[in-house]
Amino acid sequence: MDKYFAFQWHITDSCDQRCEHCYIFSEDKNIPLCEMPWGSMQAVIDNCEEMCAKLGRAPYFYITGGDPILHKDFWRLLPLFKEKHIAFSILGNPFHLNGEICKRLKDYGCERYQLSLDGLRDTHDKIRRPGSFDTTLEKISIIRNAGLRCVIMTTVSGANIAELPAIIDTAVANRADVFAFARYCPTSFEKSTHIEPSEYRALLDMCWNKFGEYKDSGTIFNLKDHLWTLWLHDKGIFKIPEGLGSEMIYDGCNCGISHLTIVPNGDIYACRRMDSAVGNVFTDRLADIFIGERMDKYRDYGSFEKCSKCELGRFCRGCPAVAYGYTRNLYSADPQCWKEVS
């Protein structure tokens, strides 16, 4: 993915679910729904292409919502991607998928379809909606039979952390191509479901053992959470290479580096998982936004209270969005980081 710049593009708020952790509906499930008009969508692609040309990258779109398939012009958008040879994946719901739909997605160049699995049946259906668990599992084979890769993503919180081993078993048993998880970002202080650092480290221990157990299963395990870098360093698996420049950022959170989010009203976010609006795609050139002062806030690595003092600061930095969710300060320490830094 090094040659790409990633855009997470929310084209509509319309959705069949009202998930407890959704950034759109978490505080108000009755808010007016927004959908980006077709003419504006074409302008967005032009703006993204212009920025990528300036950066020497190719655009990669993660099309989402809401559920992007519910956008009235969804099937006008995909031929445009194909015409322009733009790579993309879909992050959506399972409810409107069938063999014909998945084949159309494949024909237009879609590479992956990501579904969510946020617990076993009772937990998942409570977080999302009744029947969602069984429908999600049913659609994995339909996605794969069309030649698409099926990604299963879990949002880990205090509500489902104990079920993660069984979620991994379920993803493998249903032949998901990729499995990954990320932590829940609270949208308000009262919605915090805290996980202690020692508890989260133990979770990574368990997951690593599970991943080893399933190394020949055909499922790829994406180490999405940047605290995996800390865990791998603790285990001696990741070692900091010698002779690296002291100011260079080599890995970790890609906020401010290789990712932007665009939502249906055109607002641009440095990261959709926290309050980080930096402009509007209808009035601003993305290239100006990305290399400008408004994004520098997210590249001010010396201001990170804990990470700036850590030897792994150039490789990890945990998740500033999770830190923001707990403290409303993106520079505060990742609440699940167990490393002691003096």
Side-chain angles (χ1 to χ4, degrees):
M1 294 293 292
D2 288 347
K3 68 179 181 178
Y4 291 110
F5 189 97
F7 298 97
Q8 187 180 95
W9 190 7
H10 298 248
I11 61 175
T12 181
D13 290 337
S14 296
C15 189
D16 295 303
Q17 306 188 95
R18 294 294 183 269
C19 304
E20 294 297 322
H21 55 266
C22 177
Y23 312 117
I24 302 171
F25 301 110
S26 60
E27 304 304 319
D28 182 359
K29 298 185 187 302
N30 296 307
I31 62 170
L33 302 183
C34 182
E35 182 166 288
M36 187 175 288
W38 171 242
S40 298
M41 294 169 75
Q42 295 171 285
V44 167
I45 294 176
D46 291 341
N47 204 338
C48 293
E49 286 187 304
E50 179 195 30
M51 172 186 159
C52 287
K54 189 166 187 175
L55 296 179
R57 299 285 187 94
Y60 194 102
F61 284 91
Y62 293 91
I63 308 300
T64 187
D67 188 349
I69 288 182
L70 296 179
H71 192 294
K72 64 183 178 62
D73 290 314
F74 178 75
W75 295 107
R76 294 179 70 184
L77 177 63
L78 301 197
L80 187 57
F81 281 138
K82 185 170 184 178
E83 176 187 331
K84 289 176 170 287
H85 305 286
I86 293 176
F88 70 98
S89 295
I90 303 290
L91 317 181
N93 291 332
F95 308 113
H96 302 282
L97 298 180
N98 56 38
E100 180 183 355
I101 293 293
C102 290
K103 184 179 184 303
R104 288 183 72 187
L105 292 173
K106 176 67 174 177
D107 289 344
Y108 284 125
C110 182
E111 296 182 345
R112 306 173 188 86
Y113 197 104
Q114 178 175 301
L115 298 171
S116 294
L117 204 58
D118 288 325
L120 300 180
R121 183 177 288 103
D122 289 346
T123 301
H124 177 92
D125 286 0
K126 181 180 179 181
I127 292 172
R128 291 184 172 268
R129 88 172 201 193
S132 176
F133 179 85
D134 290 330
T135 303
T136 298
L137 297 187
E138 172 193 336
K139 298 306 170 71
I140 294 175
S141 62
I142 294 174
I143 292 167
R144 297 185 75 249
N145 288 342
L148 299 170
R149 302 189 77 194
C150 182
V151 179
I152 293 294
M153 180 71 184
T154 298
T155 299
V156 177
S157 70
N160 64 7
I161 187 171
E163 296 182 6
L164 198 58
I167 294 172
I168 295 171
D169 293 338
T170 301
V172 172
N174 286 274
R175 301 183 64 200
D177 293 291
V178 181
F179 174 82
F181 62 86
R183 286 170 286 155
Y184 167 61
C185 294
T187 55
S188 60
F189 292 114
E190 63 271 17
K191 291 194 173 182
S192 171
T193 58
H194 195 67
I195 299 171
E196 293 298 324
S198 59
E199 183 183 10
Y200 195 64
R201 184 179 185 179
L203 177 74
L204 299 189
D205 286 335
M206 179 282 302
C207 288
W208 187 260
N209 291 333
K210 278 284 185 185
F211 297 165
E213 177 184 344
Y214 289 126
K215 63 182 175 65
D216 298 320
S217 67
T219 298
I220 295 171
F221 299 100
N222 182 354
L223 306 186
K224 183 177 178 67
D225 193 321
H226 303 300
L227 287 182
W228 273 112
T229 301
L230 170 58
W231 188 92
L232 293 168
H233 186 262
D234 284 353
K235 298 296 183 181
I237 300 170
F238 169 70
K239 300 181 185 297
I240 299 174
E242 296 180 359
L244 298 181
S246 60
E247 302 299 322
M248 180 70 72
I249 297 297
Y250 292 94
D251 205 347
C253 175
N254 62 16
C255 181
I257 298 174
S258 59
H259 173 89
L260 285 173
T261 295
I262 302 166
V263 299
N265 68 1
D267 284 346
I268 305 162
Y269 285 79
C271 174
R272 188 64 183 95
R273 287 158 58 86
M274 60 178 165
D275 183 9
S276 59
V278 292
N280 189 282
V281 73
F282 303 144
T283 58
D284 297 306
R285 293 177 66 249
L286 278 166
D288 293 338
I289 292 293
F290 185 71
I291 64 177
E293 293 181 357
R294 279 177 278 184
M295 284 295 296
D296 286 344
K297 173 181 179 180
Y298 304 96
R299 297 186 282 254
D300 185 8
Y301 303 114
S303 293
F304 284 85
E305 296 170 1
K306 183 177 181 179
C307 298
S308 63
K309 303 179 183 70
C310 178
E311 62 184 327
L312 294 173
R314 293 171 293 158
F315 305 92
C316 173
R317 299 185 303 289
C319 181
V322 173
Y324 181 88
Y326 283 92
T327 67
R328 293 305 181 264
N329 175 13
L330 72 97
Y331 301 124
S332 62
D334 185 309
Q336 278 78 50
C337 177
W338 59 86
K339 186 174 177 61
E340 294 185 8
V341 175
S342 58

